[in-house]
Amino acid sequence: MARQNYLFTSESVSEGHPDKVCDRISDEIVDLVYREAKKTGLDPWTVRVACETLATTNRLVIAGEVRVPETLMKTDKHGNKVINPSRFKSAARRAVRDIGYEQDGFHWKTCKIDVLLHSQSADIAQGVDNASDRQGEEGAGDQGIMFGYACRETPDLMPAPIYYSHKILELLADARKKGEGEARLLGPDAKSQITVRYENGKPAEVVSIVLSTQHLDESWDSAKVRQVVEPYIREALSLGELPIAKDCNWYINPTGKFVIGGPDGDAGLTGRKIIVDTYGGAAPHGGGAFSGKDTTKVDRSAAYAARYLAKNVVASGLAENCTIQLSYAIGVAQPLSVYVDLHDTGKVDEATVEKAIRQVMDLSPTGIRRHLDLNKPIYARTAAYGHFGRKTGRDGAFSWEKTDLVKALKQAVKDVA
């Protein structure tokens, strides 16, 4: 029997956090390659990106393996085709400018950018391009385990602590960029953390709030920062009508001044905030990060599929909570295992749901990419404020948040029961 009364905490970080700057740039590279493929007529199914970014004081390093259109390459002095760094540098600068960095130690105009991208390994390519178990289809880009989760704690079927941690930072970033009042003097770098008290297994109230945010006015102290940010925190929590406890502990810029932020204050790397990206620790996370990867990489695409399926299981009324695990081997198309846990909330048994899932969706990399229409430049916006619990876009962004599989799933459960 799961615990019914307890405290649970999750954190989020803003788009200006050093690690998130790197996630954003890596995903801008993914989008650039998909966008250029469409523009030049290259089959988007052939795109390959595995891109990592390092950020530090006025410096960015972009490295990894890619398969890109000819328009993103050049001929070197030896007559070999190599990556042309100029377009990748421009994409990185635009991202840094959009985030809002124009400080001496990290400025979108002046930061030095090294592009160390090269062609994808032939050894990896052969297994991905041609699956060993399904002729003519792609194999998984790597081995690994992926998890998806959904629950009824929030309107978007996400755990409450991570959901509201994200919402606080989203509202602050929006206010900062719009130049609203004194929020215009906040900096891009910020972190939030919410502790929720659960009663009878459901979110009851917020008992502690932690927010550290960069600010551009050096005279501000913690009290001043709280005065500026508290209305946005209360607005975020009101979105789901989650009350703030009367004795809630507030920790706003608890160390005091926070002027030096972003990569000038701390180095950043792609893929270091994977729990922020998913469920805030309320559910398992597989072995890999998402950002900087095309969707042959099941670290990304299968995690999206698992969330999609778990969300549809909950939306269909088959369970209140659902965790799904998928596992893959490199070069093999079909998952090695499908595991479902309904956390003692299921209307049917887990084995039935496992069979139904395989019936309603092809879980090979090809099947996932086709079903969720993933071969598009839709990834830069996933880099901050979570990959899940987001609104679907007209351009196909966050397609894994749809609940369009409910009818098919209910029927499949009847068929296999």
Side-chain angles (χ1 to χ4, degrees):
M1 173 74 94
R3 290 182 66 189
Q4 296 297 298
N5 302 306
Y6 56 93
L7 301 180
F8 195 83
T9 303
S10 295
E11 70 160 348
S12 181
V13 296
S14 72
E15 63 196 87
H17 184 281
D19 295 329
K20 280 295 155 196
V21 171
C22 294
D23 284 345
R24 169 70 179 273
I25 291 169
S26 293
D27 275 336
E28 290 283 1
I29 301 307
V30 175
D31 282 357
L32 171 63
V33 178
Y34 273 121
R35 195 175 294 113
E36 196 69 12
K38 181 178 180 181
K39 182 178 173 183
T40 60
L42 179 71
D43 185 354
W45 288 86
T46 66
V47 163
R48 301 290 184 267
V49 184
C51 173
E52 313 291 346
T53 303
L54 161 70
T56 187
T57 301
N58 240 13
R59 186 78 176 264
L60 292 169
V61 179
I62 303 169
E65 297 185 327
V66 295
R67 186 194 293 168
V68 300
E70 290 286 320
T71 50
L72 295 176
M73 303 187 78
K74 66 177 184 178
T75 303
D76 68 11
K77 61 183 179 182
H78 304 294
N80 300 315
K81 286 284 187 180
V82 296
I83 298 300
N84 185 343
S86 62
R87 298 280 297 282
F88 298 94
K89 289 182 179 181
S90 295
R93 290 194 194 282
R94 286 194 301 271
V96 175
R97 180 178 61 188
D98 181 65
I99 291 167
Y101 277 114
E102 295 185 341
Q103 56 195 47
D104 291 342
F106 194 69
H107 197 296
W108 65 271
K109 269 187 182 179
T110 60
C111 67
K112 182 179 179 182
I113 304 175
D114 296 319
V115 177
L116 307 176
L117 298 169
H118 60 86
S119 296
Q120 185 186 40
S121 159
D123 291 343
I124 294 175
Q126 66 181 350
V128 176
D129 292 342
N130 298 289
S132 62
D133 62 328
R134 271 197 176 186
Q135 201 162 20
E137 283 201 16
E138 301 165 324
D142 202 352
Q143 70 176 53
I145 57 172
M146 299 84 211
F147 288 93
Y149 180 71
C151 62
R152 290 202 172 274
E153 294 181 12
T154 60
D156 291 316
L157 305 186
M158 286 287 288
I162 187 67
Y163 182 82
Y164 294 110
S165 293
H166 287 323
K167 292 299 181 187
I168 289 167
L169 295 182
E170 282 187 276
L171 288 178
L172 287 171
D174 189 53
R176 170 175 61 85
K177 289 182 174 183
K178 288 179 178 177
E180 290 182 4
E182 290 182 297
R184 74 188 188 281
L185 297 176
L186 297 174
D189 194 356
K191 301 178 78 171
S192 64
Q193 185 170 287
I194 295 294
T195 299
V196 174
R197 184 174 67 82
Y198 284 74
E199 189 174 290
N200 298 320
K202 299 184 183 302
E205 60 183 0
V206 176
V207 298
S208 74
I209 298 167
V210 183
L211 179 77
S212 295
T213 180
Q214 184 184 13
H215 51 91
L216 307 182
D217 188 329
E218 296 194 30
S219 70
W220 285 13
D221 58 11
S222 298
K224 177 61 179 178
V225 174
R226 176 169 176 173
Q227 178 190 330
V228 173
V229 303
E230 184 171 341
Y232 298 98
I233 293 173
R234 291 187 179 277
E235 180 185 351
L237 293 171
S238 71
L239 294 173
E241 300 180 351
L242 185 62
I244 299 173
K246 291 181 180 178
D247 59 349
C248 178
N249 293 307
W250 291 70
Y251 303 94
I252 307 300
N253 279 28
T255 61
K257 188 167 69 172
F258 181 8
V259 174
I260 299 172
D264 187 30
D266 192 10
L269 287 170
T270 301
R272 284 207 301 197
K273 289 291 179 284
I274 59 176
I275 302 303
V276 169
D277 287 341
T278 54
Y279 308 104
H285 183 105
F290 303 154
S291 291
K293 297 175 181 177
D294 74 80
T295 49
T296 62
K297 280 71 171 176
V298 283
D299 279 340
R300 180 168 222 157
S301 57
Y304 291 171
R307 161 64 179 175
Y308 173 64
L309 290 166
K311 188 173 184 181
N312 276 271
V313 166
V314 172
S316 69
L318 294 172
E320 295 290 307
N321 291 17
C322 179
T323 298
I324 294 176
Q325 185 204 53
L326 306 175
S327 70
Y328 291 83
I330 189 169
V332 179
Q334 286 298 306
L336 307 185
S337 65
V338 175
Y339 168 79
V340 172
D341 183 355
L342 301 180
H343 306 277
D344 298 322
T345 68
K347 305 295 191 297
V348 296
D349 66 274
E350 280 93 346
T352 298
V353 178
E354 289 167 359
K355 292 175 185 175
I357 281 171
R358 285 188 180 268
Q359 186 170 302
V360 299
M361 187 174 181
D362 177 1
L363 291 171
S364 68
T366 299
I368 293 169
R369 295 171 86 191
R370 184 178 291 121
H371 190 110
L372 297 177
D373 197 13
L374 297 179
N375 295 337
K376 291 181 172 181
I378 55 174
Y379 298 105
R381 76 195 76 170
T382 69
Y385 315 120
H387 292 244
F388 308 129
R390 308 286 293 276
K391 301 300 182 186
T392 56
R394 291 184 179 180
D395 60 353
F398 301 102
S399 60
W400 49 93
E401 290 298 308
K402 293 180 180 179
T403 53
D404 57 353
L405 210 58
V406 165
K407 185 176 179 181
L409 198 54
K410 286 181 176 179
Q411 184 60 51
V413 165
K414 290 180 182 178
D415 292 343
V416 303

